[in-house]
Amino acid sequence: MNDTQITPAQHRQPNNLAPLLVPLVVGGLVAVGLGVYGRVHAPTGYAIGLAGFSGALAMKAWLTTGAFLLALVQLFSALVMWGRIKLDVPWIGTLHRWSGRVAFILTIPVALHCLYALGTQFDVPRVMIHSLLGCFFYGVFTAKMLSLPKRGLPGWTLPVLGGLTFVALTGLWLTSSFWFFTTIGIKL
C-alpha cells in the first residue's frame, strides 16, 4: 500500500462531533444563503459567460457534464485512496485533488448563471429539485472542504460528505444536462 491509501482503521477516531460542528453550520449557512439569494434576487434573464457555446443552456449542460465526469474520477480515486479498490498508484492523491478542483471550477459559471439570470425556482418539479440540489451541493461541498484540515473527526466524516457531494452533483447533472441532452438535443 502506498502512502496515499488510507485504511478505515487508520481514520477511526473517537466519535467526537464537536470539530464537525463549524463545517456543518457554515455549510448549512452557505446552502440557505444561496437559496435565499436565489429566491429574493430578481432574475435578470440575461445569460452570462457563454464563451463559444450556442446558448446558456448548452454552456450549463456541457460544463456540468464535465464536472460530473470529474466527479466520477473523484469517486474512483477516493475508493483507491481508502483502500476499497486495490491499486498501487502513488499519484492517486494528486489526481483526486486536481480532478476535484477542476470539477468545482466548472460549476462556478453554471451556478453564477443560475443565480443571476434564473434565480431559485419552485414552479416546475424538475427545476425545483435542481434549485434545491444546487444549494445543497455548495453547502455540503463547503462542509467537506472545511472538514479536510480538521483532526479528531469520526472516520466516516469525509466519506459521507464526499458521497453527499457526489450524489448532489449527480442529481444536478440528471436534472440539467441529462434533461437538456434528452429533451433539446446534443448541441455545442
Side-chain angles (χ1 to χ4, degrees):
M1 176 171 24
N2 64 45
D3 62 348
T4 60
Q5 292 176 319
I6 302 164
T7 64
Q10 289 172 311
H11 264 296
R12 285 207 181 105
Q13 301 289 335
N15 282 331
N16 181 9
L17 297 179
L20 190 55
L21 186 61
V22 169
L24 290 179
V25 168
V26 173
L29 290 172
V30 166
V32 170
L34 288 172
V36 168
Y37 174 79
R39 197 71 184 139
V40 300
H41 166 72
T44 64
Y46 176 72
I48 55 175
L50 298 179
F53 291 96
S54 60
L57 289 179
M59 175 202 68
K60 290 168 48 178
W62 285 108
L63 292 179
T64 304
T65 297
F68 174 66
L69 292 174
L70 288 169
L72 292 173
V73 172
Q74 285 273 287
L75 177 64
F76 175 77
S77 59
L79 290 171
V80 172
M81 288 186 334
W82 284 82
R84 299 293 189 224
I85 296 176
K86 304 292 183 205
L87 284 177
D88 187 20
V89 185
W91 43 264
I92 200 72
T94 302
L95 175 67
H96 186 77
R97 284 186 300 279
W98 278 101
S99 61
R101 289 170 181 156
V102 174
F104 179 76
I105 289 168
L106 289 176
T107 69
I108 292 171
V110 176
L112 287 174
H113 178 268
C114 288
L115 283 171
Y116 180 74
L118 305 173
T120 305
Q121 300 178 18
F122 298 124
D123 51 343
V124 176
R126 177 191 64 81
V127 178
M128 176 186 70
I129 291 167
H130 183 76
S131 293
L132 294 172
L133 280 171
C135 296
F136 180 73
F137 169 78
Y138 281 99
V140 75
F141 178 82
T142 299
K144 181 185 179 220
M145 292 299 105
L146 291 175
S147 296
L148 283 173
K150 299 254 183 216
R151 298 292 174 233
L153 292 175
W156 52 263
T157 303
L158 291 178
V160 167
L161 292 175
L164 288 172
T165 303
F166 177 79
V167 167
L169 187 56
T170 300
L172 285 168
W173 182 81
L174 289 170
T175 58
S176 62
S177 301
F178 181 76
W179 172 87
F180 178 82
F181 294 138
T182 58
T183 304
I184 296 174
I186 297 178
K187 298 179 179 184
L188 187 61

